[in-house]
Amino acid sequence: ASVAIDGSEGASVQLAPCCRPIPGDSIVGYLGRGEGLTVHTGECSVGKRLFERDSERWMQVDWADELTDTGLLRMVKAAPMHDIGKIGIRDHILLKPGRLTPEEMAVMRQHAELGARILADSKMPEIRMGCEIAAGHHEWWDGSGYPARLAGEAIPLMARIVAVADVFDALTSARPYKAAWPLAQAREHIAAGMGSHFDPRCAQTFLDAWDEV
């Protein structure tokens, strides 16, 4: 059965069926059952390469005691699950070539919570981390993000790191509703968001590696 949520104007909006928790070892088969849906997950190829290539750089920053080699390897595996909740959003919203209406935007923003629900209660460390990332990668450092309006270090560290890579990848990739941004423009956007959208340390670490992007 489909799952209904309330839109911003009180209308009930039907989501695609797939929003219940699943075992980590069943996730591939689960995604394969998304009939009639375009599965927009794992769109962080740029971020994934940065995580793999720059693990030593992340370990050198001043929150290194919060990271381990094991944690970074898990992040590389978990980060592509950040948008798994989009499997529960209908294609007419995901692929809309124009601006979303307020109601459609409210539905789109549900993908963070849906992703966390899909990945919840797994015994696999990578899936548990993926759940945190899915839930937190749209939170803003200043507390103005979604879905929980978390702020600062209340946002899980891995979600803060993935947020930078996700925004960069989204800006520099073509979408049905926009052309890809030039790299320089994307860099300016990341820099401008330090301390508001992004954890300043995460954003600065990304910018420090700019020559390698």
Side-chain angles (χ1 to χ4, degrees):
S2 296
V3 176
I5 64 170
D6 289 333
S8 61
E9 298 178 5
S12 179
V13 180
Q14 293 297 314
L15 299 175
C18 64
C19 304
R20 59 183 177 82
I22 55 172
D25 58 2
S26 301
I27 196 165
V28 174
Y30 178 85
L31 291 176
R33 294 200 298 273
E35 298 178 3
L37 298 172
T38 301
V39 182
H40 296 274
T41 61
E43 294 180 333
C44 61
S45 56
V46 173
K48 184 175 185 293
R49 291 198 301 272
L50 286 171
F51 298 146
E52 291 172 335
R53 187 182 60 210
D54 294 340
S55 60
E56 291 185 4
R57 184 184 302 276
W58 289 109
M59 291 297 291
Q60 291 168 0
V61 295
D62 63 357
W63 69 88
D65 60 332
E66 302 175 56
L67 298 175
T68 63
D69 287 335
T70 299
L72 288 167
L73 290 173
R74 286 175 180 164
M75 180 169 65
V76 170
K77 295 178 181 179
M81 293 182 262
H82 70 288
D83 272 346
I84 195 171
K86 287 184 178 179
I87 194 175
I89 308 298
R90 294 292 182 182
D91 278 1
H92 75 276
I93 294 179
L94 278 178
L95 303 178
K96 184 176 180 178
R99 183 181 296 274
L100 297 180
T101 66
E103 183 183 54
E104 290 168 338
M105 182 60 73
V107 174
M108 177 67 85
R109 288 186 171 187
Q110 289 290 323
H111 81 272
E113 291 179 286
L114 295 177
R117 287 164 56 188
I118 289 169
L119 299 173
D121 301 324
S122 174
K123 295 181 180 179
M124 297 177 63
E126 293 82 2
I127 304 298
R128 291 201 303 268
M129 183 180 290
C131 181
E132 283 193 345
I133 292 171
H137 73 286
H138 283 296
E139 301 289 0
W140 282 39
W141 182 254
D142 66 5
S144 64
Y146 67 89
R149 297 185 69 85
L150 300 178
E153 294 186 358
I155 306 166
L157 175 59
M158 298 307 185
R160 286 180 264 150
I161 293 173
V162 170
V164 178
D166 181 42
V167 169
F168 175 77
D169 202 44
L171 293 176
T172 57
S173 300
R175 295 287 188 265
Y177 52 86
K178 75 170 188 69
W181 285 25
L183 289 179
Q185 185 179 1
R187 187 186 192 284
E188 291 176 1
H189 182 88
I190 298 292
M194 292 174 60
S196 55
H197 189 162
F198 307 113
D199 178 340
R201 297 180 301 171
C202 295
Q204 189 60 58
T205 301
F206 176 82
L207 295 176
D208 288 345
W210 186 254
D211 290 342
E212 302 173 43
V213 172

